[in-house]
Amino acid sequence: MNILVNMDATLQSHIERLYTILAKRRDLQLDRDWLRQVLFNVPRHRFIEQYYDHEAPDGIVQVESPKPTARQLETIYFDRGLMIREKPHSAASQPGLIFEMLADLELAHGLKVLEVGTGSGWNAGLIAFSVGDDSLVYSIDLQTDLVEKARSHLRSIGFNRVNLKAGDGGFGWQGETFDRIIVTVGAPDIPPAWGQSLTEGGILVMPLKTGGVGDPILRLHKQGNKLTGKFTRWAGFMNLQGSFRSASEDVLEPPWEPVIAALLQSEPTSVPLPTSFGTDCAFWLRLNGVPMQMLGEYKGQRGMHPVLLDKELPALYVPQSVYDSKVGKHMDVYGNPQLVERVIKGVEAWVELGEPRITDYHVELINSTESGDTEPQYYIDKRPYATLKFSLTNDFKFR
């Protein structure tokens, strides 16, 4: 394909700006010429009909079609995610994150690709451009109206043969196999159909929910009916819906909100930490049996902070160093402090190990009866449909 001709100068400048932002990212391993081509040939504004903006009169901005306003173009062509529908939720993911996942997918001409989570259809369009044949792209979403909107968006730029349907993406696309599968929602499990419908040598890229710590991107490669790989980065996504949604991996919901609010009314006990606490440490603690959750804004502290809630005691642990470097490295304990020793020892063990990051783990799908007794450091994570074995990669240096 050639770059679209007769493009409005204002629109072109906004697309060029997004390209410049993405091209400057050293961590984005993509051919820069391809990146520019795909941004112009699959223009994002053709896939966004509305988005939520707290500054808008009704909180919703209706995008003017076919020519959005300059302000709308500025928002659409910025490296940010956009909420495009509420109840049920749907979002257009941050472009930078989308392109990172496409890089993980290692797309090439002629590859057959399944996308779970159609959304606006923009990602399906990017994939279609990448594989050189829109008939090789399949995309499924539970929300029928979103699928029809995506179909209209794709057709508006000439992608008439993308295979779209409404259905439960956890079951894959019956009767089809794929060289690549990409999941664009946070999945609490790995449904059997995803591995079974992946061809030999195929790649699965998906956000894996980790009990509220976050949704790190997992890249798995199929070789000899085994799926192995690693995490590539931290991320955050909306939850997978349908038959494979698991409440055990969801962030906290009522009735625990009142419990948290009540705990925060008490005076905290301050406990020193050996290091700054973040999601990498929270993930390691989770692997070692300490449940972590990402909670929102409490006591005026903005943003998302990893905290531990023990539902039985109950007790709440808030690592202060996450959001305020001025107060030093410590943890505030609200309520019963019985678990604090276990948490502190866990943090100390993580530091002693060398503070492994999310990208330092080798991940393998195994049978639920398998173990790793011969390995020096491994963790088994059993989920309803998949049993995952995490071990530190060979190039990780133990202290």
Side-chain angles (χ1 to χ4, degrees), residues 113-145:
V113 184
L114 171 65
E115 176 191 35
V116 177
T118 306
S120 71
W122 190 49
N123 198 46
L126 298 173
I127 295 169
F129 182 87
S130 303
V131 300
D133 182 349
D134 55 342
S135 70
L136 293 174
V137 180
Y138 293 68
S139 186
I140 186 170
D141 198 293
L142 270 176
Q143 302 179 42
T144 304
D145 59 331

Side-chain angles (χ1 to χ4, degrees), residues 17 31 73 75 150 165 182-183 185 220 252 271 282 310 321 329 348 356 389 396:
R17 184 187 67 159
D31 178 82
L73 288 173
T75 298
K165 74 174 181 180
I182 183 170
V183 182
V185 285
L220 294 173
L252 296 175
V271 180
D310 185 276
S321 57
K329 302 168 184 175
E348 291 173 345
K389 182 173 74 174
F396 178 75

